[in-house]
């Protein structure tokens, strides 16, 4: 994949429920694009992580400061002209709109935002296996019991233009698909 053009700040959010592969794909995409990778989980306060460990879904009051912190961090990177790949669940449209506000030039309802979203689609049974395996290996704090609540929160509005990718494919194929799509999108926007 060719590097994304440097000089203009841009954020690519790899989104989906727990177990979709956000961190794996995000890291690989950032490596291929020669840019920075951030994991939204690293921005959660310990209190949020503890709630999730205990199988308690986060409330809106838990999520809003976390999302605002992400927005602020991304805004700094966009203003500095940096490219960033962010792994973030971004399950609801209003959460994605908060992340879009990290683009200082973004006007709600417009599609020419510097924050792009890619949904990793994975069947429920595959997600369940992945989450169970991660928990058994001590690789994540999210228990399988919260997967259903995440699936219920997931909202996809086709008007948002979110790229949807089959995340059961080989990670290199997924990264190439995302890269090819973003490159084509950037080329078509210049006309």
């Amino acid at each position: 994949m060719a590097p994304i053009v440097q000089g203009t700040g841009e954020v690519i959010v790899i989104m989906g429920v727990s177990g979709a592969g956000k961190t794996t794909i995000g890291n690989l995409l950032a490596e291929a694009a020669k840019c920075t990778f951030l994991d939204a989980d690293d921005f959660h306060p310990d209190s949020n992580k503890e709630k999730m460990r205990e199988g308690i879904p986060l409330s809106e009051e838990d999520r809003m400061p976390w999302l605002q912190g992400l927005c602020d961090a991304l805004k700094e990177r966009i203003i500095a002209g940096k490219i960033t790949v962010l792994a973030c669940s971004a399950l609801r449209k209003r959460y994605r709109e908060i992340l879009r506000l990290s683009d200082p030039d973004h006007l709600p309802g417009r599609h020419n935002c510097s924050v792009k979203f890619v949904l990793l689609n994975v069947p429920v049974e595959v997600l369940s296996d992945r989450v169970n395996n991660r928990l058994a290996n001590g690789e994540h704090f999210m228990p399988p019991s919260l997967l259903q609540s995440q699936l219920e929160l997931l909202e996809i509005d086709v008007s948002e233009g979110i790229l949807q990718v089959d995340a059961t494919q080989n990670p290199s194929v997924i990264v190439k698909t995302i890269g090819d799509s973003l490159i084509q999108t950037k080329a078509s926007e210049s006309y």
Side-chain angles (χ1 to χ4, degrees):
M1 180 176 107
I4 296 169
V5 178
Q6 297 291 330
T8 58
E10 186 168 333
V11 176
I12 302 160
V13 181
I14 307 299
M15 60 173 282
V17 298
S18 188
K22 298 180 297 289
T23 301
T24 298
I25 300 304
N27 268 311
L28 291 170
L29 182 62
E31 184 180 302
K34 298 178 180 17
C35 66
T36 300
F37 171 74
L38 298 176
D39 193 325
D41 285 346
D42 295 337
F43 288 77
H44 273 297
D46 289 340
S47 58
N48 282 7
K49 290 178 184 178
E50 189 55 37
K51 277 181 105 169
M52 288 184 276
R53 259 189 217 97
E54 293 175 8
I56 302 169
L58 297 180
S59 67
E60 292 299 291
E61 291 77 26
D62 297 323
R63 284 188 188 96
M64 288 305 134
W66 166 69
L67 285 166
Q68 191 57 55
L70 282 170
C71 180
D72 294 344
L74 296 174
K75 184 179 282 187
E76 286 178 22
R77 297 192 58 77
I78 289 171
I79 290 170
K82 296 182 179 182
I83 306 299
T84 307
V85 174
L86 173 70
C88 180
S89 53
L91 299 175
R92 298 198 124 173
K93 185 175 180 179
R94 72 173 173 263
Y95 303 164
R96 293 186 293 276
E97 193 55 39
I98 291 169
L99 295 176
R100 285 184 185 102
L101 292 174
S102 62
D103 177 351
D105 298 324
H106 173 64
L107 297 173
R110 293 186 55 199
H111 292 289
N112 60 343
C113 184
S114 296
V115 182
K116 310 281 190 237
F117 292 87
V118 177
L119 173 65
L120 299 180
N121 278 324
V122 184
V124 175
E125 47 288 342
V126 174
L127 289 169
S128 183
D129 287 345
R130 287 180 181 179
V131 171
N132 280 317
N133 287 337
R134 284 191 332 191
L135 189 64
N137 294 327
E139 297 170 355
H140 202 268
F141 53 84
M142 179 82 156
S145 61
L146 290 181
L147 183 57
Q148 187 58 43
S149 69
Q150 284 201 331
L151 291 167
E152 290 168 4
L153 280 176
L154 181 60
E155 299 172 340
I156 299 301
D157 183 337
V158 293
S159 71
E160 291 182 85
I162 295 171
L163 174 64
Q164 296 189 39
V165 179
D166 175 0
T168 61
Q169 301 176 83
N170 182 291
S172 62
V173 172
I174 298 168
V175 169
K176 182 175 181 345
T177 301
I178 295 168
D180 289 351
S181 178
L182 292 176
I183 291 167
Q184 290 172 1
T185 300
K186 290 188 82 57
S188 66
E189 287 175 356
S190 64
Y191 290 106

